[in-house]
Amino acid sequence: MARIDFYILPDTTLEARLQFACKLAETIHRKGYRLHLHCENKALAEQADEALWQFREDAYLPHALEDSDMAASVPITLGWQQLPVPTQDTALLNLHPDIPEGVEHYARVAEIINQHQQVLVAKRACWQRYKEMGHEVVPHKLG
């Protein structure tokens, strides 16, 4: 079973959620893991891609959209379709409102909750479903 880390932000905006996703991606990458950011659609993946490019002037997080020719050669991918089959050192950051099919193949999964009503409702349902599936759910209240 996977460990599911829920990061609970005090903010309500998508921008704050994406900014925290970038910080988390940097931490995961620094620890030597591969990372897949799973998004609801291509538009959100492109927003996350742009956020990663602008995250920090003094740092570069090698990443690519899943439909890019570079996707196989970078440690961070952004997708909106079916989850890629993970290697042993791959983490999943789920920005989709639902739990993606295949999540059980990842040892570590991160979910980001902010105080936007749609996100709260969707992620509460995910929290319950993860617990029903037998995963270890760990909350991290930030700010």
Side-chain angles (χ1 to χ4, degrees), residues 18 21-22 25 34-53 60-68 70-72 74-84 90-95 106:
L18 289 177
C22 291
R34 297 183 58 76
L35 175 65
H36 181 72
L37 277 82
H38 185 64
C39 300
E40 183 173 9
N41 51 44
K42 187 172 184 176
L44 181 56
E46 288 172 341
Q47 284 181 286
D49 175 54
E50 186 64 27
L52 284 169
W53 278 113
Y60 168 66
L61 295 173
H63 66 281
L65 295 171
E66 70 182 1
D67 62 354
S68 164
M70 294 176 37
V74 294
I76 301 172
T77 55
L78 299 97
W80 57 95
Q81 299 174 34
Q82 184 174 346
L83 288 181
T90 305
L92 173 66
L93 174 48
N94 187 30
L95 296 176
Y106 290 79

Side-chain angles (χ1 to χ4, degrees), residues 84-143:
V85 176
T87 60
Q88 187 176 9
D89 64 343
T90 305
L92 173 66
L93 174 48
N94 187 30
L95 296 176
H96 195 287
D98 299 320
I99 298 172
E101 194 171 313
V103 72
E104 66 277 1
H105 300 297
Y106 290 79
R108 295 293 296 266
V109 177
E111 295 271 3
I112 301 172
I113 300 175
N114 66 359
Q115 302 305 306
H116 187 279
Q117 191 61 33
Q118 284 179 299
V119 174
L120 284 170
V121 169
K123 292 304 165 184
R124 281 183 186 134
C126 289
W127 180 296
Q128 285 293 72
R129 183 71 186 117
Y130 281 128
K131 290 187 79 78
E132 290 168 4
M133 295 166 68
H135 297 291
E136 175 187 6
V137 177
V138 180
H140 306 276
K141 191 167 184 175
L142 306 173

Side-chain angles (χ1 to χ4, degrees), residues 4-37:
I4 317 295
D5 290 288
F6 275 84
Y7 296 91
I8 305 163
L9 306 178
D11 307 286
T12 60
T13 65
L14 173 62
E15 292 76 23
R17 198 165 178 236
L18 289 177
Q19 191 67 22
F20 184 76
C22 291
K23 289 178 187 176
L24 197 53
E26 181 182 43
T27 299
I28 291 167
H29 175 65
R30 199 176 328 119
K31 290 182 177 183
Y33 290 94
R34 297 183 58 76
L35 175 65
H36 181 72
L37 277 82

